[in-house]
Amino acid sequence: MLYQSEGIVLDQGDFGENDKIARIFTRREGLVRAVVKGAQRPRSKLRGLTQPLTYGLFQLYRGRSLDRVTQVSVRNGFPGIIDDYEKMIYARYLVELLASVLPEKERASAMFDLFLAVLGCLEQKEDPWVIARWAELGILKLAGFAPSFSRCVSCGSKVQEPPVHFSLKDGGALCAACMPLGAAFPGSQGASSAASPAIFSPAPAGAAMSAPSPESQVRAYGELIQVSPGTLRTLEMLSTHVASPRVACPNITARGQVRTEINEVSRKYISFLLDKRLKSAPLVESIEDEKK
Ligand SMILES: [Zn+2]
């Protein structure tokens, strides 16, 4: 059976001797894997029409396990990304992030709209950094992980005064009052244990009272990232910016410490959620760290 859908080619690889297999994010069916017959041959017409990042109208034949591309009408090949080394590195990274949260064959129209808008903005804007951070937050939000930046994840109060932390485990900002024991004095175990008795509530009769062990403190430090209020405000702006193919790209920028902290939060939070490092992440990070 044939079906038609708008789609974006995410990536492709060789399949057998003559064919290629492409992962296409379609508006109608979600993520599909489809064979492109004969696409390893240099003169194949479909070969040029199924390059990564091609956006168009795809006609597919539904197979039992794999679908097959029969026709493509290209709407945009995003040459401004393809021909730009740095933007292409960002695009590969965002494709990998998207593919790692997207189930196969499940319609995800809002995610499709977002990703199409992301590619448009990545092509159009000069600074891919802001587009990447905005895209990450949007992808995570639609995948069901929406971090909270304006209110404390523990008590719900507005987070304004430093020290403020981002908790990977709780997925959001943590105000000073909600900081776990032993985490309030980073790098100083002595200060931490000296302060402990004051914040310890009286132990019930018969219970042994013990100071937080160094091990649990290490865990607490690793889980918490200290950030400035400006970082949280910028992350909040990025996470609430909604764009569609017709709405403007985020016009936000960050420099210096805020940029560094946003990088740290996004890198660690994504690795934490996915429980792995994305293969394409180190290259993006090396570009960003070089520019600091
Ligand atoms: Zn709190």
Side-chain angles (χ1 to χ4, degrees):
M1 193 192 86
L2 284 171
Y3 67 96
Q4 235 186 26
S5 174
E6 266 176 84
I8 303 163
V9 179
L10 297 185
D11 47 25
Q12 46 146 276
D14 289 348
F15 188 65
E17 288 204 353
N18 297 311
D19 307 338
K20 287 204 177 247
I21 187 159
R23 284 198 298 181
I24 307 172
F25 185 17
T26 67
R27 184 189 287 283
R28 197 181 126 152
E29 311 258 316
L31 184 64
V32 300
R33 292 191 301 140
V35 177
V36 191
K37 283 271 180 202
Q40 281 189 53
R41 297 197 199 101
R43 296 166 75 94
S44 152
K45 207 180 113 209
L46 280 179
R47 176 195 175 99
L49 303 176
T50 51
Q51 294 299 310
L53 304 190
T54 300
Y55 162 59
L57 191 62
F58 290 78
Q59 195 180 67
L60 295 125
Y61 181 82
R62 197 188 308 279
R64 232 183 296 168
S65 60
L66 295 169
D67 294 356
R68 182 159 56 81
V69 177
T70 58
Q71 251 182 45
V72 187
S73 157
V74 176
R75 290 183 182 170
N76 194 347
F78 296 104
I81 299 177
I82 305 281
D83 297 339
D84 184 312
Y85 173 74
E86 199 176 298
K87 288 184 175 181
M88 199 54 206
I89 285 170
Y90 273 98
R92 282 211 193 94
Y93 164 73
L94 293 172
V95 159
E96 192 187 353
L97 174 64
L98 174 74
S100 61
V101 300
L102 210 57
E104 275 191 33
K105 295 247 174 188
E106 240 176 67
R107 187 193 285 236
S109 318
M111 190 75 96
F112 184 87
D113 287 336
L114 171 74
F115 202 68
L116 193 56
V118 163
L119 292 179
C121 290
L122 189 59
E123 180 172 55
Q124 183 192 326
K125 298 288 269 189
E126 223 167 90
D127 183 8
W129 179 85
V130 69
I131 306 305
R133 297 295 89 87
W134 164 65
E136 287 168 344
L137 290 168
I139 290 170
L140 292 182
K141 191 191 262 186
L142 290 174
F145 313 101
S148 155
F149 298 115
S150 59
R151 290 185 178 276
C152 172
V153 280
S154 176
C155 68
S157 65
K158 262 197 168 293
V159 180
Q160 280 158 332
E161 293 302 312
V164 182
H165 290 75
F166 182 88
S167 160
L168 298 175
K169 221 170 50 196
D170 296 325
L174 208 58
C175 76
C178 293
M179 283 285 291
L181 291 178
F185 304 93
S188 166
Q189 282 190 19
S192 166
S193 47
S196 294
I199 26 180
F200 260 59
S201 50
M209 196 169 79
S210 62
S213 69
E215 204 184 67
S216 71
Q217 290 181 37
V218 168
R219 219 177 298 138
Y221 296 148
E223 199 273 304
L224 294 167
I225 303 164
Q226 186 159 3
V227 290
S228 58
T231 294
L232 289 179
R233 276 197 302 275
T234 310
L235 283 165
E236 173 73 11
M237 278 193 280
L238 284 170
S239 72
T240 49
H241 180 88
V242 180
S244 74
R246 289 162 294 278
V247 178
C249 307
N251 203 5
I252 296 163
T253 191
R255 287 192 187 82
Q257 193 197 349
V258 168
R259 196 155 171 144
T260 307
E261 287 179 1
I262 289 176
N263 285 345
E264 191 185 357
V265 168
S266 77
R267 291 170 190 183
K268 289 188 175 168
Y269 188 52
I270 288 170
S271 300
F272 177 83
L273 287 177
L274 302 178
D275 200 19
K276 65 170 183 190
R277 286 261 290 161
L278 293 175
K279 281 197 207 90
S280 51
L283 202 48
V284 167
E285 290 169 12
S286 70
I287 288 177
E288 287 170 353
D289 294 343
E290 225 170 79
K291 283 188 179 171
K292 256 199 295 199

